[in-house]
Amino acid sequence: MKIENLLLIQRGVLKLIKQPSAPLMGFGMSLFFLLVYNAGIGGIGSMEVFGKGGYLSFVFPIVIISLAMGSSAGAGQTLNADMQSGYFRRLYLSPVPRWILVASPIIADTLSSLFFTIILITIGAVSGVVFQFGIFSVFGVLLLSLLWALTLCSFSAGIMLRTGQHQTAAIITNSVFPLLFLSTTFLPRELITAEWLLYASWGNPVTYILEGNRYLLGGTSTAGFFYTGLLILSFATICSLSFALASAKKIKI
Amino acid sequence: MEAIIQIKNLCKTYSNGTEALKGISLEIQSGQFFALLGPNGAGKSTLVKIITTLISKDSGEFYIQGSNTETNSLKIQKIIGVASQENEIDPAETVENLMVFQGRLFGMSKKEAIERAGWLIEAFGLTNVKSQKAGILSGGNKRRLHCALALVHNPKILFLDEPTVGMDPVARSEFWKIIKGLNIKGVTVFLTTQYLEEVDKHASAMSLISEGQILYSGTISNFKTMVNGGNNSSLEESYLQYLEIISKQ
């Protein structure tokens, strides 16, 4: 990769370090979920259906997923700040490919999300989350997180570029949030009694990401969910990145 | 002298129907100090935005140093420096960091970028504020920084769109000294401004644009002669007189 492109990514990362509100909000939300869910419902963890990992390993994927949801607005906010200050126009006039101007804050945001995922995994491991395939489980969780973060950050940046309003960068979080609760979030399928929720969870892509993670952690799910989740996320990542890069052409300079 | 900028039949209509440029043709010679004049809304900024690759044209052709701007935009961006009407600075970064980063984006090594930034910071009188964040600078210093950023990569062509707006007289004088110095060294200057005394003092050639069309292209002295027969009048007087004549036709 060209040094100029790396400099722009580095700038994006430094921006997040200097103004860490978005990633910290995501991290805080994840930690809160981890504490509250485990403290509130953790008592049912002894049930056989939660496997050897107990309820903590079962609920841990929610913590990972909500991290990217909470911090995905960062790329959009960085782009918006540059556009408001006029600095984006100066970057636009630099001899760098224009796609990297949009991609660099997305990459920075994704890297930040991965960084906090690693912290969460460490906290999880210390607290007793089971990684059934050891280091391979960790890599698997990181891969799913990477694609999930990339998808959300790209959508958030694309929407902001098209609307020009930083508030809209949070739209993606708000629209994905209900999907978390239309899934096997708190209980496995076997214990969900409402039939409509069961149907909704089958059609909900978040279910496959959750269950894919659960396969890697406590082993309460099957490998099929992991591969389906990977496929869904790969497709979503391609779509959202294309959307963000195409949105770069809609910018009014 | 060879033409460094060649524009042929350039047209641009915005999506709201405004016909900003109606077949503009223009040639600017290498090393020239050129001024594009015209009333507000004449099409000056649109023309500059197209030449500097910020927006696309509808039809026509233009070349910068022989390169087609559509196929060689990265090459063109390397040889042009742009200081547009609005400040383009990151308020969260320090003056020094912004200058060095700008140099690095244009392919300079860190050492080169630091040296060049240091020279420009001194030349533009920003030494005392080099460690300050750009966002807290005074209006005049922001403007100086904005102009200095356009020069970090030693551009061959410098586009200045109302560059001295907001500068105090001392800063303005220092600014023109630097620009004149660069022009003497061979940098082509493309200036758009409403301060006609600055054009009169520094530029040698000009074009007058109105309602998206070029009304005059040539030297400033020829323009004055054409308008009032060689009376020793200022460019501003000749310009106003010419616009009056045009409006009556």
Side-chain angles (χ1 to χ4, degrees), chain A residues 2-4 7-8 10-11 15 18-19 81-82 85-87 89-98 253, chain B residues 49 52-54 74 77-78 82 86-93 98 101-102 104-107 146 149-150:
Chain A
K2 278 187 164 185
I3 184 91
E4 293 83 8
L7 282 168
L8 284 165
Q10 184 193 48
R11 175 177 180 265
K15 285 261 163 213
K18 286 177 187 170
Q19 293 153 3
D82 281 343
S85 67
Y87 191 63
R89 203 165 39 234
R90 185 170 295 287
L91 295 175
Y92 209 71
L93 285 166
S94 310
V96 292
R98 282 170 182 169
I253 296 291
Chain B
K49 279 181 179 174
T52 56
T53 75
L54 276 176
L74 290 186
Q77 281 155 3
K78 274 192 176 171
V82 186
E86 299 91 23
N87 289 339
E88 295 158 345
I89 50 179
D90 180 350
E93 281 301 332
L98 273 174
F101 186 72
Q102 182 74 4
R104 301 277 279 142
L105 275 188
F106 277 79
H146 171 65
L149 282 167

Side-chain angles (χ1 to χ4, degrees), chain A:
Chain A
M1 194 181 258
K2 278 187 164 185
I3 184 91
E4 293 83 8
N5 297 356
L6 289 173
L7 282 168
L8 284 165
I9 295 169
Q10 184 193 48
R11 175 177 180 265
V13 172
L14 290 174
K15 285 261 163 213
L16 285 175
I17 293 171
K18 286 177 187 170
Q19 293 153 3
S21 59
L24 282 181
M25 206 174 80
F27 183 64
M29 193 164 90
S30 291
L31 266 186
F32 178 77
F33 283 168
L34 181 66
L35 289 171
V36 168
Y37 291 155
N38 195 44
I41 345 177
I44 59 171
S46 53
M47 290 170 75
E48 202 180 323
V49 77
F50 294 111
K52 58 187 171 184
Y55 194 71
L56 187 65
S57 298
F58 183 84
V59 86
F60 195 67
I62 312 294
V63 175
I64 299 283
I65 283 178
S66 54
L67 174 73
M69 281 174 57
S71 58
S72 64
Q77 283 168 354
T78 303
L79 283 167
N80 184 264
D82 281 343
M83 287 166 83
Q84 293 299 320
S85 67
Y87 191 63
F88 192 80
R89 203 165 39 234
R90 185 170 295 287
L91 295 175
Y92 209 71
L93 285 166
S94 310
V96 292
R98 282 170 182 169
W99 64 264
I100 192 71
L101 299 179
V102 176
S104 54
I106 293 173
I107 294 170
D109 220 4
T110 306
L111 288 176
S112 138
S113 195
L114 269 188
F115 170 76
F116 282 108
T117 305
I118 291 170
I119 295 181
L120 280 177
I121 286 175
T122 310
I123 294 172
V126 170
S127 312
V129 171
V130 170
F131 295 87
Q132 75 156 332
F133 303 114
I135 193 72
F136 294 107
S137 287
V138 173
F139 286 141
V141 171
L142 284 176
L143 178 63
L144 290 175
S145 301
L146 170 84
L147 294 174
W148 177 240
L150 208 48
T151 301
L152 297 188
C153 293
S154 304
F155 268 130
S156 139
I159 290 169
M160 204 296 299
L161 287 173
R162 281 171 192 259
T163 60
Q165 295 170 332
H166 76 274
Q167 298 94 329
T168 56
I171 279 181
I172 195 71
T173 307
N174 299 336
S175 33
V176 173
F177 203 66
L179 291 180
L180 263 189
F181 298 95
L182 294 171
S183 184
T184 52
T185 312
F186 304 112
L187 293 170
R189 265 211 185 92
E190 297 83 340
L191 297 182
I192 295 176
T193 49
E195 224 165 277
W196 67 267
L197 186 57
L198 273 176
Y199 283 118
S201 72
W202 276 117
N204 182 356
V206 171
T207 303
Y208 299 90
I209 303 161
L210 279 174
E211 296 299 325
N213 271 303
R214 280 172 187 154
Y215 164 70
L216 297 168
L217 299 172
T220 52
S221 206
T222 60
F225 280 104
F226 171 70
Y227 294 119
T228 311
L230 202 58
L231 205 67
I232 289 171
L233 278 181
S234 302
F235 179 70
T237 302
I238 291 167
C239 291
S240 63
L241 259 179
S242 309
F243 171 69
L245 297 179
S247 304
K249 292 177 186 162
K250 305 276 178 192
I251 301 168
K252 284 184 181 151
I253 296 291

Side-chain angles (χ1 to χ4, degrees), chain A residues 18, chain B residues 90-100 129-135 137 145:
Chain A
K18 286 177 187 170
Chain B
D90 180 350
E93 281 301 332
T94 66
V95 170
E96 199 170 23
N97 282 351
L98 273 174
M99 298 284 280
V100 173
V129 293
K130 68 176 184 180
S131 304
Q132 282 184 17
K133 284 189 177 173
L137 296 179
L145 171 62

Side-chain angles (χ1 to χ4, degrees), chain B residues 37-58:
Chain B
L37 307 180
N40 290 335
K44 301 188 297 292
S45 291
T46 301
L47 183 58
V48 172
K49 279 181 179 174
I50 292 176
I51 302 174
T52 56
T53 75
L54 276 176
I55 58 172
S56 59
K57 61 182 171 55
D58 291 340

